[in-house]
Amino acid sequence: MIAWPSPELRRIALPRTAVFAQPGCGPAILCIPGGYHSAFCFGPWLALLGRAGIAAAALEPRGKGGLAAQADPATGIADYAEDAVQAARALAQPVVLLGHSLGALVAMRAAEILGDAAGLLLVAPSPPGNLPGAAPVPPVAEGAMLPPPGIAAIRARYFGDQDVADINAYRATLSPESPRVLNDRYQLRIPIEREKLRGMPGLVVEAGRDDAARHPSGQDQAIADFLGLDYRFLQDMPHCMMWQPWAEASLAPIIAWHRMQFGGAAS
């Protein structure tokens, strides 16, 4: 049985969005979900970060999860970035922006706007629109919200063709997605002013079992080089590495990075 939200998390309601937060040491890691996903997908990582004593939070973007009534097919990456900026400011402490997949593009844009993020963590990231050699993806039809992928596509795209317990329950937690958001990413419509991010500490984490159509070989390393971030390749990880049974192993380099940057005792 999949349960969310955890009773240990404090929900902060914001205009159009919300953030689930938990206390801890160091700058808070604000987790930003990708396409179709809500704050829920970071449940395993939040539990592990809490155990490690690291402050953390998860963004519930507009139209996702419990905010499904606000879903709007005109929503774009810029809107999700506004949500992330609101959440970061609401935490009222230094924040490391962590974006997964399409959420990585949101994190990059939010970091540009904030200007003072403590760090940037990009997990199985979507590329900036101005990344040299970035591969576009065929666009989707716009005008109406798109339902989440089916079970077979979830298993292939998100979990590297590996079996996952409660995969039907996992799909039930996904939300319809705005086609404009997807096309912002697919058609490389979101350039990033990398000079605004240069010097910001950060890490790109690549999934070795990722979907090659959206994450071709070399692209994640190129994102790290483009932004001047550190890079880790996790050979056995699928795209949604924050889910079980991969959560602990995939989060380990992120915890190690946070401790190296900001200190804190090992768990």
Side-chain angles (χ1 to χ4, degrees):
M1 180 68 179
I2 297 177
W4 176 265
S6 166
E8 289 78 29
L9 298 176
R10 176 172 61 104
R11 184 181 188 275
I12 304 171
L14 301 166
R16 295 177 299 278
T17 187
V19 62
F20 295 92
Q22 64 189 23
C25 297
I29 297 179
L30 174 59
C31 301
I32 302 169
Y36 302 103
H37 287 71
S38 68
F40 167 85
C41 70
F42 292 110
W45 273 7
L46 290 180
L48 291 165
L49 288 167
R51 198 178 307 160
I54 295 173
L59 175 69
E60 187 86 300
R62 66 185 73 189
K64 300 293 189 68
L67 304 175
Q70 300 180 29
D72 182 349
T75 297
I77 292 289
D79 299 303
Y80 286 166
E82 179 184 333
D83 295 344
V85 168
Q86 283 188 10
R89 289 173 174 161
L91 293 174
Q93 66 184 105
V95 168
V96 172
L97 297 168
L98 183 157
H100 173 255
S101 191
L102 184 147
L105 197 52
V106 176
M108 292 179 235
R109 179 50 59 88
E112 284 184 329
I113 297 169
L114 286 167
D116 61 354
L120 186 62
L121 299 168
L122 307 178
V123 180
S126 295
N130 55 335
L131 178 73
V137 177
V140 297
E142 299 201 17
M145 299 294 291
L146 299 177
I151 293 297
I154 288 172
R155 183 178 287 110
R157 190 184 307 170
Y158 296 161
F159 299 126
D161 284 319
Q162 300 173 85
D163 288 328
V164 176
D166 295 322
I167 194 168
N168 287 286
Y170 183 90
R171 185 182 188 276
T173 69
L174 301 180
S175 302
E177 186 56 89
S178 160
R180 181 181 170 195
V181 163
L182 295 177
N183 285 339
D184 277 352
R185 180 272 179 261
Y186 290 166
Q187 296 300 285
L188 305 175
R189 299 194 298 216
I190 307 297
I192 296 298
E193 295 182 53
R194 61 178 176 172
E195 293 308 316
K196 291 185 177 181
L197 306 184
R198 282 287 185 180
M200 180 181 297
L203 175 68
V204 173
V205 179
E206 179 174 358
R209 298 178 64 96
D210 214 331
D211 171 27
R214 292 167 177 77
H215 300 268
S217 177
Q219 182 169 276
D220 289 3
Q221 174 76 75
I223 293 171
D225 294 343
F226 183 73
L227 298 176
L229 305 179
D230 296 335
Y231 167 80
R232 284 293 303 275
F233 177 73
L234 302 183
Q235 176 68 53
D236 297 324
M237 294 297 157
H239 184 71
C240 287
M241 65 180 78
M242 61 282 192
W243 201 244
Q244 300 295 7
W246 309 280
E248 187 168 5
S250 64
L251 187 62
I254 291 172
I255 289 177
W257 177 90
H258 191 278
R259 287 182 173 143
M260 180 181 67
Q261 293 293 327
F262 309 113
S267 60

